[in-house]
Amino acid sequence: MSDTIKKAGVVGWPIEQSKSPIIHGHWLEQLGIAGSYIKIAIAPESFEQDIRQLIEDGFGGCNVTIPHKEAALAMADVVSDRAQAIGASNTLVFKDGKIHADNTDGVGFISNLKQLAPNWDATLGPALVLGAGGAARAIVYSLLQEGAPSVVIANRTQAKAQTLADFFGDQVTAIAMDQVADVLGDIQTLVNTTSLGMVGQPDLVLDITGLPKTALVTDIVYNPLETDLLKQATSLGLMTVDGIGMLLHQAVPGFEAWFGAHPTVDDILREKVLSA
Ligand code: ATR
């Protein structure tokens, strides 16, 4: 009987904080699929060995979180273009005796915007990305894929923004945080990918009154759901999208691959994850 149950999970170190089992558990129940999705603590020193054990144990794949996203990419047999470009993998699929690595953070980010701001159009103008870490890399990649004509990256450590800009080429430039005010007037999409504004972190102090009235403002911080940045944008009459949806949407491609059905991101799931 247990052979008929499709198995997947999320690997990380630590892993207790992961909300992924709530997301996949919700979809399994909603769609009536005989499947399981569990948290699996894997220490860095045994990552590869433990992943191979999951394959032995009949898992269809797993999500990958900190600190294993680079190691997951490195051990894969087949790597998607987007995982290659982002340089990290958050989704592994074990199929036909091979490990397939994907990165769904960027597509999750875009799907969230399309669901919650259907009129948003990346092609309408330049984007400004605050931060230059792993999340920024996935988001810059996906904004370019969506047709953003250019992306400006601003980061506390400007050298990291410059490295990221250099990786993506001519369409991407780096600026210092204190130059943000100078570019705001051209920006159609503003994204905070830093941890500023998150509970327990310093506030993001930024005056965005210079943004055009047509701009969309989004934050990947989702605790609190309405960050000060989003509050400020709302008070200026700008379109806003909060960050919880990125987490939900990035889970969709893995679920489809492991469990063979297309799940939807709905309000019930949103509430479940926010209240967990
Ligand atoms: P993630 O993978 O989620 O993007 P990360 O790689 O740790 O996480 O990146 C965190 C981002 O938040 C970085 O851009 C970081 O800026 P630095 O590159 O200068 O470290 C930014 N960040 C974190 N704390 C910050 C703070 N107190 N002030 C300004 N930026 C901060």
Side-chain angles (χ1 to χ4, degrees):
M1 180 62 194
S2 65
D3 286 354
T4 63
I5 292 184
K6 294 175 176 161
K7 294 192 286 189
V10 54
V11 303
W13 186 259
I15 197 59
E16 268 325 299
Q17 77 294 344
S18 175
K19 293 185 189 290
S20 292
I22 301 168
I23 302 170
H24 291 274
H26 170 79
W27 287 333
L28 287 171
E29 195 185 316
Q30 195 174 52
L31 295 164
I33 293 171
S36 77
Y37 185 100
I38 58 170
K39 290 177 192 171
I40 306 158
I42 292 186
E45 51 277 17
S46 62
F47 179 74
E48 187 159 344
Q49 184 190 328
D50 289 357
I51 290 292
R52 299 208 184 277
Q53 188 60 49
L54 292 181
I55 300 172
E56 285 289 301
D57 293 345
F59 277 69
C62 58
N63 283 123
V64 181
T65 189
I66 292 166
H68 301 311
K69 289 185 177 186
E70 284 82 16
L73 188 78
M75 80 176 288
D77 304 299
V78 184
V79 174
S80 69
D81 289 347
R82 58 197 186 194
Q84 192 70 54
I86 295 164
S89 173
N90 69 341
T91 306
L92 294 180
V93 178
F94 311 143
K95 193 172 61 181
D96 308 327
K98 291 199 164 85
I99 298 174
H100 299 249
D102 195 6
N103 189 308
T104 66
D105 284 333
V107 74
F109 170 77
I110 296 293
S111 299
N112 186 37
L113 295 190
K114 287 186 172 171
Q115 186 180 38
L116 297 181
N119 294 329
W120 173 75
D121 181 352
T123 67
L124 292 182
L128 171 61
V129 172
L130 307 176
R137 197 178 182 95
I139 287 169
V140 171
Y141 174 80
S142 66
L143 286 167
L144 292 173
Q145 287 288 111
E146 277 301 300
S150 59
V151 180
V152 182
I153 306 172
N155 193 45
R156 172 180 59 181
T157 312
Q158 202 186 339
K160 275 173 69 182
Q162 192 60 55
T163 302
L164 202 51
D166 292 345
F167 172 82
F168 286 109
D170 292 348
Q171 277 175 288
V172 184
T173 50
I175 59 170
M177 284 303 276
D178 62 11
Q179 293 174 294
V180 164
D182 305 337
V183 303
L184 280 181
D186 290 328
I187 299 301
Q188 290 297 336
T189 310
L190 169 60
V191 190
N192 175 43
T193 77
T194 74
S195 46
L196 294 174
M198 192 188 294
V199 163
Q201 299 292 321
D203 290 334
L204 171 62
V205 181
L206 185 68
D207 180 351
I208 58 167
T209 43
L211 281 173
K213 288 291 171 211
T214 48
L216 173 130
V217 178
T218 184
D219 202 324
I220 72 164
V221 169
Y222 58 83
N223 186 15
L225 194 57
E226 192 184 27
T227 59
D228 285 349
L229 176 68
L230 296 183
K231 276 187 195 150
Q232 191 187 160
T234 301
S235 73
L236 291 167
L238 305 177
M239 267 191 296
T240 62
V241 173
D242 66 54
I244 190 68
M246 178 180 171
L247 173 73
L248 309 179
H249 283 280
Q250 63 76 35
V252 169
F255 188 91
E256 282 179 327
W258 308 317
F259 301 117
H262 181 74
T264 47
V265 172
D266 57 19
D267 287 343
I268 304 170
L269 177 61
R270 226 173 266 278
E271 289 309 315
K272 240 186 203 180
V273 171
L274 285 171
S275 63

